[in-house]
Amino acid sequence: MFRTAILRSAAVASRTAVRTSIPRLSTRATVAAPSALRFVPKVASWNVVRGYASGGGLEKAEVYERIKQLLSGFDKVNDPSNITEKAHFANDLGLDSLDTVEVVMAIEEEFSIEIPDKDADTIHSVDKAVEYILSQPDAN
């Protein structure tokens, strides 16, 4: 099927090239040719530039508030008033290792980033999470 499509497109391209490259000399009156016969492919130079626009990044206070709101939504957090900038997930908030993985996944979803496993293993507290998110240029 793929071979047939390639052969057909090559045949169409060669017919178009033959029609456009051979000049016709005739003593008879010239009849206007259809536009397909007069098509001359132009060589276009495309300079593709991929640009990113951002709003200037995130601020530390905004990131902290979003993480605080995210953590307060977890049922296993002992006391939402314990969520501070230096709060440790296991020691201060009462989360186990599986809950910490869920927190990291929720942070990925909240900030639209992907955290590799080696970096996720280092995020055990709110300040480490804030620090990591601020270091990511794609976080929003």
Side-chain angles (χ1 to χ4, degrees):
M1 184 171 183
F2 180 72
R3 181 175 172 232
T4 305
I6 297 282
L7 292 174
R8 284 184 184 166
S9 64
V12 169
S14 66
R15 276 187 258 140
T16 305
V18 169
R19 289 180 188 162
T20 57
S21 63
I22 301 174
R24 296 188 183 207
L25 300 174
S26 172
T27 56
R28 292 186 260 160
T30 307
V31 178
S35 62
L37 296 177
R38 287 184 278 144
F39 173 74
V40 178
K42 295 181 180 180
V43 178
S45 173
W46 290 76
N47 293 328
V48 178
V49 177
R50 187 171 187 174
Y52 294 99
S54 66
L58 297 170
E59 294 184 19
K60 186 174 182 176
E62 177 189 356
V63 172
Y64 169 68
E65 287 301 321
R66 286 171 64 180
I67 290 178
K68 183 177 178 180
Q69 183 180 14
L70 184 134
L71 287 171
S72 64
F74 272 78
D75 293 335
K76 293 186 178 181
V77 173
N78 293 338
D79 187 13
S81 64
N82 289 341
I83 303 172
T84 62
E85 289 186 14
K86 299 288 183 183
H88 191 272
F89 294 150
N91 299 340
D92 300 326
L93 302 178
L95 301 175
D96 60 8
S97 60
L98 184 60
D99 295 328
T100 302
V101 171
E102 289 179 12
V103 167
V104 171
M105 289 172 51
I107 289 171
E108 286 179 331
E109 188 175 324
E110 173 71 25
F111 292 96
S112 302
I113 58 173
E114 180 130 355
I115 302 174
D117 291 338
K118 66 176 187 160
D119 294 335
D121 292 339
T122 63
I123 300 174
H124 294 291
S125 61
V126 175
D127 60 339
K128 293 286 186 183
V130 170
E131 179 183 313
Y132 183 81
I133 292 166
L134 291 176
S135 70
Q136 299 299 309
D138 294 338
N140 58 14

